[in-house]
Amino acid sequence: MKVLLTGGTGFIGRELVKHYRTHDIVLLTRSPSQAQQTLHHVPGDNLTFITSLDELSNLNDFDLVINLAGEPIADKRWSKKQKKRICDSRWKLTQQIVELIHASTTPPKTFISGSAVGFYGDQQHHPFDESLHVHQENFPHFVCSEWEKIALSAQSDQTRVCILRTGIVLAPHGGALKKMLPPYRLGLGGAIGSGEQYMPWIHLNDMTRGISHLSEQEHAQGVYNFCAPHAVTNKVFSQTLARVLRRPHVLFTPKWVLSTLMGESACLLFDSVRAKPKRLTELGFNFNFSHLEPALKNLLQNN
């Protein structure tokens, strides 16, 4: 099988490259030399790098396209310039992929493209699945809605499109957990705001296994929530992480502090999203880590 992968040097992408290392992988990257160092565990004969999709006139040779690239949404305040970066990095690249699929006489059978549970906005304590109709005006919904719309335009009788509405992906070497670990290890961790907001999370292992599962299910298409079946509140997440690390849990960060520091992007921390992975489980996917504490113990036992 031949795979085109964008975002392959990110912490999710690196794990996917490991998963598909026996296949032919073409990886889009700005720096092939750095990517080669990052992905040294992959046999050189199976990995090819391109620096631009302009190097391809079609995707006739590819069986699977996985699109995970995008400017990190939570790393900087959302200035007008940063918002444009976030949008362009997702929309323009995805549009290029769609155009290459349309230009193919034998297009890839499967196109898997990223999105996020930020699509749903604040849903308070109500559990919901992919069938929820959303009318939001916040920036994460705006980004995800257009991103999904572009990706889904590749759908045809020859190509099925799967959208990943991803929660907080847990891994000690990347994402939110990597940022949380230093203060928690110092005994300075704690809930943020009231701590009652729900956090949809997923273990990195289940993230990559879930993507692989979608690629293997010939009738899978449309939107899938990529989060464990049991979301927890921020307070429970914080208490559980402190317990797994055997550290105290006595502090909390007032909402106004983070709102002042982060501005509009603070909604990423305070929106309550109790998403359920209904369509993924109906597709026969079994989570290795459906509960938080075993997931954290697995991730942190050697870290």
Side-chain angles (χ1 to χ4, degrees):
M1 183 167 67
K2 191 167 184 179
V3 182
L4 174 63
L5 176 62
T6 75
T9 56
F11 77 101
I12 300 171
R14 292 197 301 270
E15 207 63 23
L16 273 177
V17 171
K18 286 182 189 178
H19 183 85
Y20 287 107
R21 64 184 178 275
T22 58
H23 299 277
D24 292 328
I25 304 170
V26 177
L27 193 146
L28 177 68
T29 176
R30 286 190 292 265
S31 175
S33 59
Q34 285 185 358
Q36 205 158 17
Q37 289 179 349
T38 302
L39 302 169
H40 59 85
H41 54 277
V42 180
D45 293 343
N46 294 358
L47 191 57
T48 306
F49 301 99
I50 58 173
T51 58
S52 170
L53 289 177
D54 293 337
E55 296 177 40
L56 304 172
S57 57
N58 58 62
L59 300 180
N60 285 334
D61 295 333
F62 293 93
D63 304 289
L64 170 64
V65 179
I66 303 174
N67 176 33
L68 301 178
E71 174 80 8
I73 196 167
D75 283 5
K76 298 177 182 177
R77 284 178 70 98
W78 290 345
S79 63
K80 285 185 178 179
K81 187 175 181 181
Q82 183 61 12
K83 282 184 174 182
K84 188 175 188 305
R85 253 193 228 110
I86 290 167
C87 293
D88 287 351
S89 66
R90 287 159 174 77
W91 300 349
K92 288 186 176 180
L93 181 65
T94 304
Q95 184 62 49
Q96 276 189 286
I97 293 171
V98 170
E99 289 171 1
L100 286 169
I101 290 173
H102 287 161
S104 306
T105 53
T106 55
K109 292 180 180 178
T110 308
F111 175 32
I112 298 175
S113 192
S115 186
V117 294
F119 174 92
Y120 297 109
D122 185 11
Q123 297 297 327
Q124 301 178 5
H125 286 188
H126 307 296
F128 61 87
D129 58 38
E130 296 89 347
S131 64
L132 181 71
H133 293 287
V134 179
H135 301 284
Q136 293 279 339
E137 295 182 359
N138 63 7
F139 181 62
H141 176 78
F142 173 68
V143 175
C144 292
S145 180
E146 184 63 21
W147 194 10
E148 293 180 12
K149 180 181 175 183
I150 294 167
L152 288 168
S153 68
Q155 180 82 32
S156 72
D157 291 340
Q158 294 175 287
T159 302
R160 60 190 177 90
V161 180
C162 298
I163 303 293
L164 314 175
R165 286 186 185 157
T166 305
I168 299 166
V169 182
L170 299 182
H173 56 277
L177 185 58
K178 180 183 178 180
K179 294 176 183 177
M180 295 172 77
L181 284 175
Y184 273 80
R185 282 177 168 148
L186 291 171
L188 302 175
I192 55 175
S194 70
E196 296 303 314
Q197 66 274 29
Y198 273 86
M199 297 173 59
W201 61 273
I202 185 170
H203 190 294
L204 178 61
N205 172 268
D206 283 330
M207 182 74 199
T208 53
R209 288 178 57 249
I211 291 173
S212 177
H213 189 74
L214 284 185
S215 73
E216 294 165 0
Q217 303 301 307
E218 294 183 359
H219 301 295
Q221 61 182 35
V223 172
Y224 294 85
N225 287 340
F226 263 61
C227 46
H230 303 287
V232 296
T233 63
N234 173 261
K235 184 183 294 183
V236 170
F237 187 100
S238 180
Q239 290 170 338
T240 306
L241 179 56
R243 184 166 62 251
V244 168
L245 293 171
R246 298 180 182 178
R247 294 294 186 271
H249 184 270
V250 294
L251 303 177
F252 82 100
T253 305
K255 183 175 181 178
W256 69 266
V257 172
L258 289 168
S259 295
T260 301
L261 290 172
M262 298 177 65
E264 186 184 355
S265 65
C267 70
L268 297 171
L269 299 178
F270 296 112
D271 282 356
S272 184
V273 184
R274 197 176 177 183
K276 297 286 187 180
K278 181 182 179 184
R279 297 196 70 225
L280 191 57
T281 52
E282 286 179 345
L283 203 60
F285 181 74
N286 294 310
F287 284 82
N288 282 339
F289 301 95
S290 57
H291 291 274
L292 180 64
E293 188 159 347
L296 289 174
K297 284 180 177 178
N298 173 267
L299 290 164
L300 301 175
Q301 60 190 0
N302 296 317
N303 288 277

